[in-house]
Amino acid sequence: MIRLDGVTVLYRERAALRDISLQIEAGERVAIIGPNGAGKSTLLRVVAGLLRPVAGTVDLAGSRIDRLDRLAIARRLAVVPQLPTLPFATTVEEVVALGRLPHEHPVRGMRPGDRAAVAAAVDRVGLGHLLGRDARELSLGERQLVLLAMAVAQQAPVLVLDEPTVHLDLRHQVEVMELVGDLNARDETTIVAVLHDVGLAAHFFPRLVLLDKGRIVADGPPAEVLAPDRIREVFGVDPALVRLGA
Ligand code: ADP
Ligand code: MG
């Protein structure tokens, strides 16, 4: 579903990703972890076609991503960005409905199927109590949930999320992880999530990709990727502090 071959990304002269090769099959659920500045968000931006590598290729659902236009990408892949900034004054349901843009009829606009998808996304993310509110007045955590609902409404076969739980309290963190798990298990959505919380990643994801200084240093099941020596080396902390599978 997603394939990177020898991908290198530079910001000015500095490499943020170095020679990354990675393959993610349809229906997989993968968490990208690693210290601050490792290149996690950069990797997601490349996968989403928002950033062009200086070397290497990116394929999405069998097509070279640089040959797909924004609309074609949006039908294949939905993004939940890291910073929950919302573009303009509008209600929660209008923001969620933006997720339907790639499917809307060019003349007739929202059709019943689009409205049903918006209602289902609102329901699944549990936003009913926020309907009618101005999205800009919401807390960061609430905005994060609105952007998640927008991505769910998009109904793309691939969902990429950049630290979707940073602004959430514990209960909502777990609920978002469970929803992502459900989208993966029931809807067969391929999931790629950047998570800063290694414990959450290990508990909810069968495959972790560990990035450090722009390179993949480990890729596999949590118990293997999060070996004590590696935690000490990459994160620079006592492995006993990282609760796995909690
Ligand atoms: P992570 O998400 O793992 O914290 P990022 O992918 O955001 O890391 O960043 C990787 C590296 O690239 C960091 O050193 C960061 O400072 C740098 N970087 C990220 N975005 C930009 C940018 N727009 N311009 C210049 N440098 C950037
Ligand atoms: Mg980041």
Side-chain angles (χ1 to χ4, degrees):
M1 188 57 105
I2 297 167
R3 186 191 170 102
L4 279 68
D5 269 307
V7 165
T8 295
V9 171
L10 301 179
Y11 291 118
R12 305 210 175 76
E13 314 287 80
R14 281 190 51 249
L17 294 179
R18 303 160 195 264
D19 195 24
I20 296 278
S21 293
L22 176 67
Q23 199 162 325
I24 296 173
E25 305 299 337
E28 268 201 278
R29 181 181 348 166
V30 180
I32 313 287
I33 57 169
N36 289 335
K40 305 182 296 296
S41 296
T42 303
L43 180 62
L44 274 200
R45 285 199 285 271
V46 166
V47 166
L50 298 168
L51 196 61
R52 218 174 241 248
V54 288
T57 59
V58 180
D59 289 274
L60 175 62
S63 303
R64 285 280 297 270
I65 202 159
D66 50 5
R67 300 202 185 118
L68 298 172
D69 61 25
R70 289 302 327 156
L71 199 61
I73 293 174
R75 290 199 185 106
R76 291 166 172 80
L77 176 141
V79 183
V80 179
Q82 184 166 8
L83 286 175
T85 49
L86 299 168
F88 36 75
T90 181
T91 62
V92 165
E93 50 272 39
E94 282 165 343
V95 175
V96 178
L98 292 175
R100 297 308 299 170
L101 279 177
H103 304 283
E104 265 181 34
H105 190 279
V107 181
R108 286 188 291 161
M110 289 263 283
R111 287 168 290 182
D114 296 308
R115 284 182 227 290
V118 170
V122 164
D123 188 49
R124 241 170 139 174
V125 179
L127 289 183
H129 64 294
L130 295 179
L131 292 180
R133 297 272 305 274
D134 182 334
R136 289 173 318 166
E137 292 167 2
L138 303 178
S139 74
L140 284 175
E142 289 167 335
R143 279 186 237 177
Q144 206 155 29
L145 294 176
V146 171
L147 289 178
L148 178 60
M150 177 176 132
V152 170
Q154 201 172 322
Q155 293 177 335
V158 180
L159 176 61
V160 304
L161 312 100
D162 197 349
E163 306 206 8
T165 60
V166 269
H167 302 294
L168 302 178
D169 59 53
L170 262 178
R171 181 171 71 85
H172 283 99
Q173 288 183 22
V174 170
E175 281 179 8
V176 165
M177 286 296 106
E178 285 172 350
L179 170 60
V180 164
D182 191 53
L183 287 165
N184 178 242
R186 262 204 306 153
D187 304 41
E188 294 171 18
T189 306
T190 305
I191 307 283
V192 186
V194 167
L195 295 176
H196 73 289
D197 186 323
V198 171
L200 269 190
H203 186 71
F204 286 100
F205 285 77
R207 177 181 173 193
L208 307 185
V209 172
L210 175 60
L211 278 184
D212 188 28
K213 302 185 186 79
R215 292 184 199 278
I216 294 177
V217 294
D219 180 350
E224 202 178 293
V225 168
L226 298 171
D229 282 353
R230 202 174 275 123
I231 291 177
R232 198 176 293 113
E233 193 179 307
V234 172
F235 291 95
V237 299
D238 178 352
L241 294 173
V242 179
R243 288 193 356 166
L244 301 178

